[in-house]
Amino acid sequence: MKKAILATKVGMTQIFNEDGVLTPVTVLQAGPCAVTQVKTMENDGYSAVQVGFMDKAERLINKPQKGHFDKAGVAPKRFVREFRFENAEEYTVGQEIKVDIFAEGDKIDATATSKGKGYAGAIKRHNFHRGPVTHGSKHHRHIGSNGSATTPGRVWKGKKMAGHMGCERVTIQNLEIVRIDADNNIILVKGSVPGPKKALVMLRETVKSGK
C-alpha cells in the first residue's frame, strides 16, 4: 500500500542522536486523516485517494460538502486533498490514517506552498550577479539587457526578470523521517520543508526509481 498523509508545519528545531550528532529537523503535526473518497479508473478515469484533515464546524460548510462528508461517514474537514495511487482500491472510505503508517528512516516527498516574499529583484529572485560597483557604472543591481535589437525586437516569454517571488507550489523529494511520535501525531523530518508555520504539507512516500 502506498503511504501518504496531510500535515501542518509546526516549525524547526534540532535533535541529537545516540552518537551525539546534531540534526536539524522540521516538526510536522500529521493526521489523523480520514479517507473521504476512493477514485477508480472505472468510475473517475484515474486512481486516487481523497483524504480530509482537521475537523471543521458543520455550520461553516455548504450543503454539497455536507453531503460528501455524510456519504463518507466522517466529520467535516478543513482540508481535503487527493493522492494519486495506482492501488487506491486498497484504501476504504472512512478509514483513518495516522502517522504510524510511516517508520523512522522512511523517505518521503513534501509538497507545500512556499513563503511569499513579495516583489523582488533579479538578484534575490534568480540569484543573478550584480554589476560593477565602481563610480559611474550605473549598473549595480540591474538585470542587464532585456532582449535583442531589430530581430525579434521583443522580450521573450519566460525571461528571468524582477517580479513576484515565492507563494508557489514546491516539492522537496527524498526527505528522511528522523523520529515519529505516534501518541501526539508528530513527525520529525530531517532538513527544511516548504511553507511558513501552520502551512498545509502533503507527505507521501518517495517513489523509488524503476518502480
Side-chain angles (χ1 to χ4, degrees):
M1 177 184 291
K2 297 291 185 180
K3 296 179 288 186
I5 199 170
L6 296 178
T8 53
K9 185 175 178 180
V10 178
M12 290 197 69
T13 185
Q14 53 192 19
I15 60 174
F16 293 88
N17 61 12
E18 296 81 0
D19 300 326
V21 178
L22 185 145
T23 302
V25 295
T26 301
V27 183
L28 300 172
Q29 182 80 38
C33 297
V35 177
T36 56
Q37 188 177 2
V38 177
K39 298 193 174 183
T40 61
M41 291 294 297
E42 294 78 13
N43 295 332
D44 305 282
Y46 65 99
S47 179
V49 177
Q50 184 188 93
V51 299
F53 177 49
M54 294 183 65
D55 290 342
K56 187 176 183 179
E58 187 173 323
R59 61 183 175 83
L60 298 177
I61 62 174
N62 55 35
K63 288 184 178 180
Q65 291 173 333
K66 184 179 184 304
H68 183 69
F69 291 123
D70 289 346
K71 183 178 179 181
V74 300
K77 301 297 180 182
R78 183 171 301 276
F79 302 107
V80 178
R81 296 292 186 272
E82 281 188 4
F83 294 97
R84 290 205 177 193
F85 294 144
E86 294 180 356
N87 58 341
E89 64 277 359
E90 295 182 8
Y91 286 88
T92 57
V93 176
Q95 177 182 345
E96 191 175 51
I97 304 175
K98 295 185 177 181
V99 295
D100 54 11
I101 64 172
F102 293 102
E104 295 180 4
D106 285 354
K107 299 292 185 178
I108 60 173
D109 299 339
T111 302
T113 301
S114 63
K115 288 183 179 180
K117 295 177 169 52
Y119 188 91
I123 290 179
K124 179 178 179 180
R125 190 183 186 202
H126 299 295
N127 200 30
F128 280 14
H129 290 286
R130 59 181 171 83
V133 294
T134 54
H135 177 70
S137 73
K138 299 181 180 180
H139 183 75
H140 301 317
R141 299 179 66 88
H142 194 270
I143 61 173
S145 174
N146 284 341
S148 53
T150 304
T151 304
R154 63 184 174 87
V155 180
W156 290 100
K157 287 184 178 181
K159 179 171 175 58
K160 294 180 179 179
M161 302 176 69
H164 188 273
M165 181 178 179
C167 199
E168 56 187 2
R169 185 184 175 98
V170 177
T171 299
I172 298 182
Q173 297 177 314
N174 212 33
L175 294 172
E176 180 183 352
I177 295 178
V178 178
R179 191 172 299 171
I180 290 180
D181 184 354
D183 295 332
N184 298 307
N185 300 312
I186 295 292
I187 295 180
L188 301 185
V189 179
K190 183 177 180 180
S192 61
V193 168
K197 293 180 180 179
K198 299 183 180 180
L200 178 68
V201 184
M202 300 173 64
L203 304 176
R204 60 183 298 165
E205 67 173 332
T206 299
V207 179
K208 297 180 181 179
S209 59
K211 291 188 178 181

